[in-house]
Amino acid sequence: MHSGLVNKLLVALCVMTMAASHAAPLLVAHRAGTGDAPENTLLAVQSALANGADMLWITVQMTSDGVPVLYRPADVSALTEGKGALNSFSFLQLAELNAGHTFSRLDAAGNKVFPYREQPVRIPTLQAALQVIPKFVPILLDMKQLPAAPLVASVAKVLDEEKAWDRVRIYSTEKEILTLLADYREARVFESRDATRQRLSSVALSGSCETPPAAGAWVGMELERTVTVVEKFTLGEGRSEVKARWWTPAAVSCFKTNPEVKIIVFGVDSSAAYQAAEKLGVDHVMSDSPIKMKAIRAAAR
């Protein structure tokens, strides 16, 4: 083959490889799109999928009678007209509450309105959500509620019944939840937030990448987050507040040392944040508003 043609083919292949390595990140709808509809409801799920979400991040807690439901705050007063800890309610009691009670938006005149007070939406069970969400849509399940053991057992029971383990990956900031999930061979989990934070801090402060995530690991952290750096002295300590831009080219390169590591960047809700995440080459961005991100992603193409 002519050397000039070979060179052109090699250049084309290189360009294609570079383009593939910087594919546009997939969109994760945070709490099923908390900016667009009452969060963690089936209405939010439908809205997110209709507006281009590739994955759904949903939060699960357990009722007093052992039913896993989609709800994030500890107290029902945060989103509904009720009051009290979610795990003090039975599912039948929760079913009477309006999950859209506090959801608001601005009308055409700029006035704050509550569109779901007259059209209530309900807190769904995890089982109902799994039956509604198309099986090809990956689900990222956030589990924070304590005590951990009954929550893990109740969620595992539903995932068994729905044969849904392969559709779900689980995230938790609670060490005990991750420890208990290790007993379920079907469970797929994120690496712990502590481990991710330690790696990012090491890259940022020392430039070292001694222990990158294992092959196939999933990791997640905010694009930006205010952190406190503590310096210990002999007789005291000094503290500095820093707005940390965790994800840098060096950090992404470190985390991608081993194959098939997936990075999700949290808190991507503006055009600037999306462009930064895309430039870094992360795999997924998590946003509160798929509707807003739909326009941002279209403009970036």
Side-chain angles (χ1 to χ4, degrees), residues 3-15:
S3 61
L5 179 58
V6 171
N7 288 336
K8 289 180 180 179
L9 289 172
L10 289 173
V11 170
L13 180 60
C14 181
V15 170

Side-chain angles (χ1 to χ4, degrees), residues 191 199 211-219 254-255 257-262:
E191 79 164 16
R199 298 186 209 284
T211 56
W218 283 56
V219 303
C254 173
F255 274 70
T257 298
N258 293 314
E260 297 302 315
V261 172
K262 301 298 182 184

Side-chain angles (χ1 to χ4, degrees), residues 170-226:
I170 299 172
Y171 175 92
S172 182
T173 55
E174 298 295 336
K175 182 179 180 181
E176 186 180 358
I177 289 176
L178 297 178
T179 299
L180 289 170
L181 284 168
D183 292 334
Y184 295 85
R185 62 179 180 79
E186 307 97 328
R188 302 185 303 162
V189 301
F190 279 73
E191 79 164 16
S192 74
R193 188 177 175 92
D194 287 345
T196 301
R197 186 192 312 107
Q198 180 60 46
R199 298 186 209 284
L200 287 169
S201 298
S202 181
V203 174
L205 297 177
S206 69
S208 66
C209 181
E210 296 178 0
T211 56
W218 283 56
V219 303
M221 189 69 74
E222 287 77 8
L223 180 65
E224 284 188 350
R225 189 172 180 87
T226 300

Side-chain angles (χ1 to χ4, degrees), residues 24-29 48-49 52-56 136-139 284 297:
L26 298 179
L27 175 61
V28 181
L49 295 179
D54 301 295
M55 295 185 179
L56 297 169
F136 61 83
V137 176
I139 299 168
H284 310 83
R297 295 170 88 194

Side-chain angles (χ1 to χ4, degrees), residues 37-280:
E39 66 181 52
N40 284 311
T41 63
L42 300 185
L43 181 66
V45 166
Q46 293 163 359
S47 174
L49 295 179
N51 285 284
D54 301 295
M55 295 185 179
L56 297 169
W57 179 287
I58 55 180
T59 316
V60 65
Q61 295 191 59
M62 190 185 71
T63 63
S64 64
D65 52 345
V67 180
V69 296
L70 272 53
Y71 195 84
R72 180 180 179 275
D75 198 292
V76 298
S77 63
L79 302 178
T80 80
E81 72 277 31
K83 185 176 181 180
L86 180 134
N87 61 6
S88 69
F89 286 75
S90 70
F91 176 66
L92 288 179
Q93 290 171 323
L94 276 184
E96 297 179 358
L97 300 179
N98 179 7
H101 181 76
T102 64
F103 183 88
S104 66
R105 60 165 59 107
L106 298 180
D107 65 14
N111 300 312
K112 187 176 183 179
V113 296
F114 297 87
Y116 297 103
R117 289 193 175 177
E118 300 301 322
Q119 300 178 23
V121 290
R122 302 306 176 190
I123 298 172
T125 65
L126 173 61
Q127 191 156 37
L130 291 171
Q131 292 172 354
V132 167
I133 297 170
K135 291 185 178 180
F136 61 83
V137 176
I139 299 168
L140 306 179
L141 200 60
D142 187 11
M143 296 170 60
K144 292 186 174 72
Q145 186 188 44
L146 296 175
L151 176 65
V152 170
S154 67
V155 169
K157 181 174 183 292
V158 171
L159 295 179
D160 280 336
E161 291 173 354
E162 294 299 318
K163 297 180 174 55
W165 285 102
D166 62 346
R167 300 168 57 192
V168 169
R169 186 170 296 272
I170 299 172
Y171 175 92
S172 182
T173 55
E174 298 295 336
K175 182 179 180 181
E176 186 180 358
I177 289 176
L178 297 178
T179 299
L180 289 170
L181 284 168
D183 292 334
Y184 295 85
R185 62 179 180 79
E186 307 97 328
R188 302 185 303 162
V189 301
F190 279 73
E191 79 164 16
S192 74
R193 188 177 175 92
D194 287 345
T196 301
R197 186 192 312 107
Q198 180 60 46
R199 298 186 209 284
L200 287 169
S201 298
S202 181
V203 174
L205 297 177
S206 69
S208 66
C209 181
E210 296 178 0
T211 56
W218 283 56
V219 303
M221 189 69 74
E222 287 77 8
L223 180 65
E224 284 188 350
R225 189 172 180 87
T226 300
V227 299
T228 301
V229 179
V230 180
E231 181 184 10
K232 295 289 185 179
F233 306 133
T234 303
L235 297 176
E237 64 182 30
R239 292 173 173 264
S240 299
E241 295 290 322
V242 179
K243 180 173 282 189
R245 175 63 71 94
W246 287 117
W247 295 108
T248 63
V252 172
S253 178
C254 173
F255 274 70
K256 291 286 191 176
T257 298
N258 293 314
E260 297 302 315
V261 172
K262 301 298 182 184
I263 298 173
I264 297 185
V265 174
F266 304 156
V268 177
D269 290 299
S270 70
S271 178
Y274 179 80
Q275 289 174 19
E278 185 176 35
K279 186 176 181 180
L280 285 167

